[in-house]
Amino acid sequence: MSATNHPAFGRVMPFVFVFLWSTGFVGAKFGLPYADPFTFLFIRFAVVIVLMVPVIWILGARWPKSWREVAHISTTGMLVHGIYLGGVFWAIDTGMPAGLSALIVGMQPVVTASVVGALLGERVTARQWGGLILGLIGVALVLVPKIGDGVGITGFGIGLAIMALFGMTAGTIYQKRFCTSMDLMSGTVIQYMAAGIFVGIVALIREPLVVDWSMDFILVMAWLVLVLSIGAIMLLMVLIKQGEATRVASMFYLVPPTAAFFAWVLFDENLGLLGFVGFAIAALGVALVMIKR
């Protein structure tokens, strides 16, 4: 039995993923003052590619056997990395509160559950629906008090956050439908190449391509590349391959509350009693979805 097929892996790794993924919001808050969003993302993706290609060559990882497989993997990369991250970063760049953006993206499990039956043939039980709804309520309790007085909220910003929501949802489903047999190492590189082309074009069109190469920026970039773009994403691919799309998507309910907790610890952002209650409700909702039938 491989390590990824061990029962303990399935129980522990989803929560490791949530922890790692949540640090991305902290990293963005630290790093975005030094570069515009799409320039930031392009550098991040480029560094990942440069680091991973030699590793793939040394390990002799399998590359796709057909251009059709490359196209499927590239599509997933565009959705998960380009559309999702680009939409979130751009929305925040327009002035939308990060909490509201996270709350919109936090609806992903409900959106995923509503379409997996028709697309993947997965049955969502009444208990799982209840867990999905509880998760959404928990996320709302954590983040709604952080929305503030509405300053910075525009229709364009909300549209970008919704775009990010559907990017991650579609990417999760597409990955489960078409890319479960891909090699994790080579597949991840192809995904970042596709996403890098997308964010690079956007950066060329709308940003001055100026970067403040401070030590803070370099350290944040190192964390986001090694821990998020390589470690967490490859873990997500494994979880998608082994689990149902609805159960995997439900993990994202824990990301906004966890990110809010980090912000409370690191930036002294008020979480409050309501926030902790929301965190507990979201965790209960995820538990209801994740329990094996």
Side-chain angles (χ1 to χ4, degrees):
M1 179 183 293
S2 67
T4 57
N5 289 326
H6 195 281
F9 182 92
R11 290 192 296 267
V12 175
M13 287 302 105
F15 298 99
V16 174
F17 169 78
V18 168
F19 170 81
L20 297 179
W21 196 261
S22 300
T23 65
F25 292 90
V26 177
K29 186 162 185 175
F30 276 122
L32 280 176
Y34 304 100
D36 289 312
F38 286 93
T39 301
F40 185 99
L41 289 173
F42 178 79
I43 295 171
R44 175 176 168 179
F45 297 162
V47 174
V48 172
I49 294 168
V50 170
L51 291 177
M52 289 193 66
V53 168
V55 175
I56 292 173
W57 180 75
I58 292 172
L59 296 179
R62 179 185 67 84
W63 289 94
K65 297 179 180 179
S66 68
W67 285 109
R68 183 176 183 178
E69 186 177 1
V70 172
H72 283 316
I73 296 172
S74 298
T75 300
T76 302
M78 283 280 292
L79 293 169
V80 172
H81 307 304
I83 303 298
Y84 167 70
L85 286 177
V88 169
F89 278 42
W90 194 356
I92 294 173
D93 191 51
T94 66
M96 174 181 285
L100 178 57
S101 179
L103 178 59
I104 293 173
V105 176
M107 296 173 63
Q108 181 214 346
V110 172
V111 178
T112 300
S114 67
V115 297
V116 292
L119 296 180
L120 301 180
E122 295 182 9
R123 176 172 170 266
V124 183
T125 67
R127 188 199 69 245
Q128 288 179 313
W129 274 114
L132 291 165
I133 294 171
L134 274 179
L136 185 59
I137 292 172
V139 170
L141 288 175
V142 173
L143 295 178
V144 166
K146 294 180 173 293
I147 293 176
D149 57 7
V151 175
I153 300 176
T154 65
F156 182 63
I158 292 174
L160 290 171
I162 293 174
M163 179 184 74
L165 162 65
F166 282 99
M168 177 56 82
T169 301
T172 300
I173 295 173
Y174 198 94
Q175 170 80 18
K176 179 66 177 178
R177 177 67 177 83
F178 295 107
C179 305
T180 54
S181 63
M182 79 174 192
D183 181 272
L184 290 178
M185 297 287 287
S186 64
T188 299
V189 166
I190 293 171
Q191 288 181 350
Y192 280 121
M193 286 180 177
I197 292 172
F198 170 74
V199 300
I201 291 173
V202 177
L204 284 171
I205 293 173
R206 67 175 300 269
E207 296 177 356
L209 308 181
V210 176
V211 179
D212 178 2
W213 292 95
S214 67
M215 182 56 65
D216 287 343
F217 176 80
I218 293 172
L219 291 176
V220 168
M221 184 62 68
W223 175 269
L224 293 177
V225 166
L226 298 175
V227 178
L228 271 295
S229 294
I230 296 178
I233 287 297
M234 293 187 67
L235 178 56
L236 175 62
M237 298 300 106
V238 172
L239 293 171
I240 291 174
K241 183 176 182 179
Q242 296 186 347
E244 298 172 355
T246 302
R247 295 177 68 243
V248 173
S250 70
M251 297 185 306
F252 285 89
Y253 268 146
L254 292 180
V255 172
T258 304
F261 176 78
F262 285 150
W264 174 62
V265 173
L266 297 175
F267 305 117
D268 198 28
E269 293 185 5
N270 183 37
L271 190 58
L273 178 61
L274 190 62
F276 284 107
V277 171
F279 199 121
I281 291 175
L284 175 60
V286 170
L288 290 174
V289 177
M290 297 284 288
I291 294 173
K292 292 283 189 179
R293 291 192 292 269

